[in-house]
Amino acid sequence: MNHEAFGLSANLFAFLDWHEFFFLLFAGVACVAAVMVVLSDNVVRMALHLVLSLGATAGLFFLAGAEFVGAMQLMIYVGGTLVLLVFGVMLTAQTQLVALRTPAGDRVIAGILAAALLAVLVQAAFSIESWQKPGQGVATAPTATPLGMALVGVRVDQVAEENLVRPKGGYLLPFEIVSVHLLVVLVGAAYLARAKRRRVPRSVDLVASADSTKPRSPVAASSTLVAGGPK
Amino acid sequence: MAEFLIETIGLPSWLSWTAIAGLSAFLILNVIAGGALVFIWAERKIAARIQDRLGPTRTGGRFGWLQSLADGIKLLAKEDLMPDGADALLFRIAPYVSFCASFCAFIALPFAFDVVGQRLNVGVFFVVAVLGLEVFGVILAGYASASKWSLFGAMREAAQVVSYEVPLGMCVVVPVMLAGSMDLVTIGEKQAGWASNWFIFHDPFTFIIFWVYYTCALASVNRAPFDLAEAESELVAGFHTEYSGLRWSFFFMAEYGSMFLVSALAAILFLGAWNGPVPVSQLLGLSDGMAADAPYALRLLGCINLFLKATAGVLVMMWIRWTLPRLRIDQVMTTCLKYCTPIAAAMFAGVMLWQLFLPGGLVAGSFQNAAGVREGWLEQSNNQESVNEDALSDIVPSRRIVEVSR
């Protein structure tokens, strides 16, 4: 109806494709932030740039319609960097680690590794014949439910596709192995972190003893920070 | 809605999508900012009444209802200070990091059936994940301020938020298990009907786990009695000691935004979402209980319903804040690790067994039965696939980015 009224702007914006715009935006942010991680010498700034880069990657996942993977990226990677940030703050708050200097040998090794990885990735990226957007033949169906069903042993997607009477077992065994593994890790962490009853009866004493010793270990410093420091 | 603009009015598609995206961003921003204005005023009035004072009475005539607006103008005019030793870049962006996290979580939060910025298949997961990112701003602020009070406050908050995410996640999983979906809209729809359908009344375990969730939510948004990050008696003002003016107010908008967000999430997960305690529209014959066909006026009523429930949650938070004394850090950790986490785990197992052995509830027919839920789940995923196949025919690449409603 009003196509003429918008004709000029439509011509101007004919190239404006929001999907490509956001793809370029997220990809650009991810790359620039990743480079900034390497270039900055402050641990906290590095962590911030890492968060930006990983967050932009999550944005790419959402853009591709992989909502579950995107939320996972936010929860695990970006949330995990949070702990990294906490340790960065703890380390740089009181010692001379504010500015990190990388030895030249490390730079060379890192450069070789990065170049090798880049070569593999570039080769993989250009070996794909044609890239497709979501909605152009790539399925954009919800991914969480089939994933969850597959993890507990029912491949819903295969039931729908092949009309199998007895669907193939999904990923129940790997899922169980990973769960038990994580449980063992948690128990181990709790065992390592538990208070040693004979040496440190109360957390207040822990702080006091941390103050009296000459060199501060990061752990002692952290407990001082959390508990509010010596009075 | 964008389809409506394209097909009926004939706007070009890029313009429609931009307009709809802008509109929903504008609405969400107003929920946060307007909510902060109202809640700050309410907080002052409630604090005053609990302490046997009057609170603001003059600004704007009666009740001092324009007080927060006056405060906002004062904050705008305040000098923006930055300490000498501060890390300038991090100090400047920290408030916006907090605010952005709060804002992003609202994108996936439905206010009524399909009245949602972007309906996500993994809505609960997304909201909880993004909510945990708000602490980034606080840590950056504490670090960049170059002040020991800020640093102490930020470290306390980090320790607190990281540990409370564990029981919070466990509590959130229970409604997901009952509804058989991580989609917040589906979870809300499963509780339609009488109040006995609400997940909090599903069985004794969910009743207990709701209160565990509320406690953890209180801790994860740093409200008293868990507000160690800004303990004014020992840390001056905690992480925002060095902030003033507009940057400071961004922290507060983020805080009130998250308070509203966790209360709204509690309402959606446990308190029947946008469904009232009595299915009035169904009894009057205005709708047949299928929300997808309900007229827009009913959805608006659903919005009001959810806002009322979430506001009630926020008011209870204020009531708690001005009633209970602040906990010590070791008491905060004890509450999390020795009480919240084991209780949440036990209740989770309890709900699981209840679903296994008493899926229909104690009285037959009084609750939804689990088989129906499971069938609905599979059926629904098939429906969604077919809907998506329909959507493939009219390819609009940006349809995934923002969609207000269908």
Side-chain angles (χ1 to χ4, degrees):
Chain A
M1 184 170 97
N2 278 336
H3 274 297
E4 289 75 24
F6 293 97
L8 180 64
S9 47
N11 284 335
L12 273 177
F13 287 93
F15 64 89
L16 182 66
D17 181 338
W18 279 126
H19 187 274
E20 274 177 15
F21 172 77
F22 278 107
F23 180 83
L24 290 176
L25 180 74
F26 285 137
V29 169
C31 294
V32 171
V35 172
M36 292 296 287
V37 173
V38 181
L39 291 185
S40 53
D41 56 358
N42 180 322
V43 179
V44 178
R45 286 207 182 185
M46 282 182 202
L48 175 75
H49 292 136
L50 193 59
V51 166
L52 267 180
S53 179
L54 294 171
T57 315
L60 285 178
F61 285 138
F62 280 109
L63 205 58
E67 293 161 357
F68 184 73
V69 187
M72 269 294 187
Q73 171 90 4
L74 281 181
M75 186 80 132
I76 295 176
Y77 286 89
V78 183
T81 317
L82 177 72
V83 181
L84 192 71
L85 185 64
V86 170
F87 276 103
V89 169
M90 281 175 178
L91 286 175
T92 56
Q94 26 198 335
T95 59
Q96 53 275 66
L97 282 171
V98 174
L100 286 181
R101 289 273 167 263
T102 319
D106 289 3
R107 280 175 194 272
V108 173
I109 296 172
I112 293 171
L113 275 177
L117 184 62
L118 186 68
V120 172
L121 288 179
V122 166
Q123 197 268 333
F126 283 100
S127 67
I128 289 174
E129 286 170 11
S130 64
W131 290 96
Q132 283 175 318
K133 294 177 201 168
Q136 292 179 344
V138 182
T140 52
T143 48
T145 309
L147 263 177
M149 293 297 281
L151 280 182
V152 295
V154 183
R155 294 288 301 273
V156 186
D157 47 340
Q158 291 189 346
V159 175
E161 279 170 15
E162 302 166 20
N163 288 321
L164 293 175
V165 184
R166 276 178 60 86
K168 289 177 201 162
Y171 307 106
L172 186 58
L173 184 64
F175 181 67
E176 280 302 317
I177 291 173
V178 170
S179 327
V180 172
H181 179 76
L182 284 178
L183 184 67
V184 170
V185 169
L186 276 180
V187 171
Y191 175 78
L192 288 177
R194 84 194 195 287
K196 310 288 188 295
R197 193 166 298 240
R198 283 176 61 196
R199 284 191 54 213
V200 187
R202 279 157 56 222
S203 60
V204 179
D205 297 354
L206 181 74
V207 174
S209 65
D211 282 333
S212 59
T213 52
K214 293 168 300 192
R216 281 196 169 182
S217 70
V219 179
S222 70
S223 66
T224 316
L225 275 176
V226 171
K231 290 285 178 291
Chain B
M1 204 151 172
E3 286 94 339
F4 169 79
L5 283 182
I6 296 169
E7 285 158 18
T8 322
I9 308 186
L11 294 183
S13 72
W14 65 267
L15 186 64
S16 328
W17 290 109
T18 317
I20 295 304
L23 179 69
S24 32
F26 176 77
L27 286 178
I28 292 172
L29 208 58
N30 271 292
V31 169
I32 300 176
L37 282 185
V38 174
F39 288 139
I40 287 173
W41 172 78
E43 174 121 46
R44 297 182 67 161
K45 288 304 263 188
I46 288 173
R49 288 295 169 177
I50 288 177
Q51 296 169 346
D52 205 11
R53 298 183 284 119
L54 285 176
T57 50
R58 304 223 175 118
T59 322
R62 293 169 64 80
F63 310 125
W65 65 280
L66 273 179
Q67 185 65 42
S68 353
L69 201 65
D71 284 348
I73 294 171
K74 183 200 79 175
L75 284 173
L76 275 177
K78 243 183 172 178
E79 187 184 358
D80 190 23
L81 292 170
M82 187 163 63
D84 257 353
D87 188 330
L89 172 77
L90 297 184
F91 187 83
R92 292 225 167 90
I93 66 167
Y96 306 115
V97 172
S98 268
F99 184 76
C100 284
S102 191
F103 177 82
C104 284
F106 270 94
I107 291 177
L109 188 81
F111 294 102
F113 183 80
D114 260 3
V115 183
V116 47
Q118 168 68 42
R119 181 173 175 175
L120 284 182
N121 191 229
V122 289
V124 184
F125 196 24
F126 179 82
V127 170
V128 172
V130 173
L131 195 67
L133 303 185
E134 204 194 318
V135 71
F136 264 113
V138 172
I139 296 179
L140 289 181
Y143 171 78
S145 291
S147 146
K148 58 181 169 183
W149 308 124
S150 308
L151 192 63
F152 282 145
M155 283 296 109
R156 286 179 175 191
E157 166 139 355
Q160 184 179 323
V161 169
V162 168
S163 26
Y164 270 91
E165 261 185 13
V166 176
L168 188 73
M170 261 185 216
C171 299
V172 162
V173 163
V174 167
V176 170
M177 186 168 69
L178 293 179
S181 170
M182 286 199 281
D183 188 349
L184 283 170
V185 179
T186 314
I187 292 177
E189 276 313 301
K190 294 278 184 205
Q191 303 172 63
W194 294 89
S196 58
N197 274 345
W198 295 2
F199 283 153
I200 183 175
F201 302 126
H202 184 271
D203 54 62
F205 304 109
T206 51
F207 188 77
I208 297 173
I209 214 163
F210 168 74
W211 300 107
V212 179
Y213 169 83
Y214 200 75
T215 312
C216 297
L218 208 59
S220 70
V221 297
N222 283 297
R223 290 287 296 183
F226 302 102
D227 61 343
L228 291 152
E230 40 191 281
E232 74 276 356
S233 53
E234 35 187 314
L235 295 184
V236 189
F239 66 90
H240 57 71
T241 305
E242 306 294 343
Y243 281 85
S244 70
L246 206 56
R247 289 186 216 290
W248 180 83
S249 70
F250 264 100
F251 274 124
F252 263 71
M253 266 203 272
E255 177 179 331
Y256 281 90
S258 327
M259 276 165 69
F260 186 80
L261 183 84
V262 291
S263 302
L265 199 61
I268 294 174
L269 293 178
F270 292 101
L271 299 177
W274 41 88
N275 304 296
V278 178
V280 180
S281 65
Q282 217 172 322
L283 292 179
L284 291 178
L286 288 175
S287 73
D288 54 353
M290 299 296 290
D293 310 325
Y296 273 91
L298 283 183
R299 290 189 192 175
L300 196 62
L301 283 178
C303 277
I304 294 173
N305 236 328
L306 185 76
F307 271 95
L308 284 179
K309 285 174 188 173
T311 309
V314 174
L315 294 184
V316 171
M317 283 184 181
M318 291 172 182
W319 174 24
I320 292 173
R321 171 170 182 182
W322 297 103
T323 309
L324 294 179
R326 180 179 302 128
L327 297 177
R328 273 197 329 258
I329 182 75
D330 61 320
Q331 291 168 332
V332 169
M333 290 301 158
T334 307
T335 316
C336 172
L337 296 175
K338 290 193 182 161
Y339 295 100
C340 286
T341 311
I343 294 176
M347 294 304 116
F348 176 72
V351 175
M352 206 162 60
L353 293 176
W354 184 281
Q355 280 289 85
L356 205 59
F357 294 115
L358 283 171
L362 282 177
V363 188
S366 63
F367 296 110
Q368 298 161 318
N369 71 50
V373 171
R374 173 153 295 217
E375 286 307 309
W377 172 20
L378 287 176
E379 200 177 290
Q380 185 215 359
S381 76
N382 288 339
N383 282 345
Q384 281 180 356
E385 272 160 25
S386 65
V387 165
N388 273 297
E389 277 161 17
D390 291 344
L392 294 184
S393 56
D394 55 334
I395 301 160
V396 184
S398 58
R399 68 174 288 118
R400 302 205 66 83
I401 294 167
V402 167
E403 188 176 52
V404 174
S405 64
R406 296 182 184 168

